[in-house]
Amino acid sequence: MAARRAANPSRRLADGGSVPLVSSLHQKSRTPPLLSIGLVIVGAFLLIGYSYRDSGRFASEREAISRDEGGSCTSDILQAIPILKKAYGNSMRKVLHVGPETCKVVAKLLKEDDIEAWGVEPYDLEDVDSICKTLVHKGFVRLADIKFPLPYRPKSFSLVIVSDALDYLSPKYLNATLPDLARVSADGLVIFAGYPGQQRAKVSELSKFGRPAKLRSSSWWIRYFVQTGVEENESIMKKFEQAATKRSYKPSCQIFHLSS
């Protein structure tokens, strides 16, 4: 689209800035030829500058969209909060979120009157805003390596929500991390994971996560849950799907509901 927009001013310039326009101006107003040509040239530069500005704007918008697409499941969680409340009911009273961008999720959850929320950021916090700094300072959000046991007692939270973080773990670490996430949850565990084929920010993920995401299929996850003895909560799954259908909620990530 940007290419077509950039081409239009040039076409208009060719149509409107050619010799017939100069001669027309000369015939009607007797304006000196050099002045007429100068006006046309100035107009051409203005049109070209405007087209490049528009082209750059649309390019930057496309880049922002491409970075967001498949970049994380955070937006899915933010939209899913009312649906999760409908499905889990009182189990949403005390929530732990684990994953990148946890400050956004915790801040959103804390706006709900009946939800207490905490977060674990598995990776370094970079370029955080004042809200995130406040959450960290007050202890709502903490940094912790999820390859090791979380610093919480068993059943410390009614519900644990995990996004993206498991996509960066090998099966070796998953074998320790998944049971530990279930350990600190009393009523359930919700996992948001990327679909195979989704794009990820290559440079940023290598510098922040240390490795590219390993995006696995739903069949892989289901087999893994069976092997590790973690059961999917079919009752909650049905409630969530019904609430999602009513709200026309279509997540871009896979969602799994597990029993503690």
Side-chain angles (χ1 to χ4, degrees), residues 28 42 53 55 72 81 90 102 120-121 125 158 183 190 193 196:
K28 291 182 179 180
V42 170
R53 184 188 67 180
S55 176
S72 87
I81 288 175
N90 292 332
T102 191
V120 171
E121 168 63 62
L125 290 168
S158 55
R183 176 185 65 84
V190 187

Side-chain angles (χ1 to χ4, degrees), residues 71-75 97 99-106 121 164 208:
S72 87
C73 298
T74 303
S75 60
H97 173 259
E101 300 184 282
T102 191
C103 285
K104 292 182 181 179
V105 178
V106 172
E121 168 63 62
D164 298 306
K208 185 173 183 178

Side-chain angles (χ1 to χ4, degrees), residues 21 32 38 48-50 61 77-78 96 110 117-118 147 149 162 173 194 196 219-220 223 225 238 247 257 260:
L21 174 61
I48 293 172
Y50 181 79
E61 288 175 357
I77 297 178
L78 298 178
L96 174 69
L110 287 174
W118 285 265
K147 296 187 186 74
V162 189
Y173 289 113
S219 59
W220 187 95
R223 287 196 304 270
F225 297 148
K238 291 179 180 178
R247 290 179 172 266
H257 303 271
S260 298

Side-chain angles (χ1 to χ4, degrees), residues 141-169:
V141 172
R142 67 196 307 170
L143 275 70
D145 191 339
I146 61 173
K147 296 187 186 74
F148 304 97
L150 294 175
Y152 301 110
R153 294 179 180 179
K155 302 184 185 299
S156 293
F157 306 93
S158 55
L159 187 68
V160 175
I161 302 173
V162 189
S163 62
D164 298 306
L166 301 183
D167 291 335
Y168 293 93
L169 295 181

Side-chain angles (χ1 to χ4, degrees), residues 92-147:
M92 281 284 287
R93 65 188 182 278
K94 193 173 183 181
V95 179
L96 174 69
H97 173 259
V98 179
E101 300 184 282
T102 191
C103 285
K104 292 182 181 179
V105 178
V106 172
K108 180 72 172 179
L109 288 169
L110 287 174
K111 291 180 180 179
E112 303 289 331
D113 295 333
D114 52 349
I115 294 181
E116 299 177 34
W118 285 265
V120 171
E121 168 63 62
Y123 309 100
D124 292 337
L125 290 168
E126 299 175 354
D127 301 325
V128 297
D129 56 21
S130 59
I131 295 176
C132 191
K133 290 179 181 178
T134 300
L135 291 173
V136 173
H137 179 71
K138 292 185 176 181
F140 288 104
V141 172
R142 67 196 307 170
L143 275 70
D145 191 339
I146 61 173
K147 296 187 186 74

